Structure formats: structure tokens, C-alpha cells
Amino acid sequence: MKTFHCGSLVPGCQWHTRSDSEAEIVSRAVDHLREAHGETIIRPSIVEQIKERMADDQSAA
């Protein structure tokens, strides 16, 4: 299980998600960036930053 915390990309944001699928996390994070932070263009560099900030969720065991 992987997790992503938006605050690692957007300081102060408390939103987070987790999934077994990296693609699902990226999809959810992109949707969140659009809806909560008003991002209209999601560049490949943002997707890479999301992937880099994913972590293994040890609490899911």
C-alpha cells in the first residue's frame, strides 16, 4: 500500500490518499490539485513530483 500527502507538495494542505496502485494515487492527486488548489494545467513534472513523494504506508499491514 502506498500513500501520498498533498502537504508534501502544497505546504499546509492536510489532504492525503492511499492505494495499492500508484496510478490510482496519481489520478486522485491530480483531481485534488484541480478541485482544491485550482490547478488547470497538470504538467508532467507535477506528476513526477507526486510519484517521488509517495511512501509505503506501514499502517496498512
Side-chain angles (χ1 to χ4, degrees):
M1 181 83 50
K2 298 270 189 192
T3 187
F4 171 76
H5 292 267
C6 187
S8 68
L9 191 62
V10 180
C13 184
Q14 298 297 312
W15 183 87
H16 63 278
T17 189
R18 66 181 184 182
S19 176
D20 289 324
S21 166
E22 286 189 9
E24 181 64 25
I25 290 176
V26 169
S27 176
R28 291 176 188 174
V30 165
D31 287 346
H32 169 73
L33 287 170
R34 286 188 175 124
E35 293 172 17
H37 301 295
E39 296 293 331
T40 56
I41 298 173
I42 306 296
R43 293 181 173 82
S45 62
I46 295 294
V47 173
E48 288 305 312
Q49 289 178 40
I50 292 167
K51 290 179 181 179
E52 290 170 1
R53 288 166 170 80
M54 281 185 211
D56 289 323
D57 185 357
Q58 302 301 325
S59 66

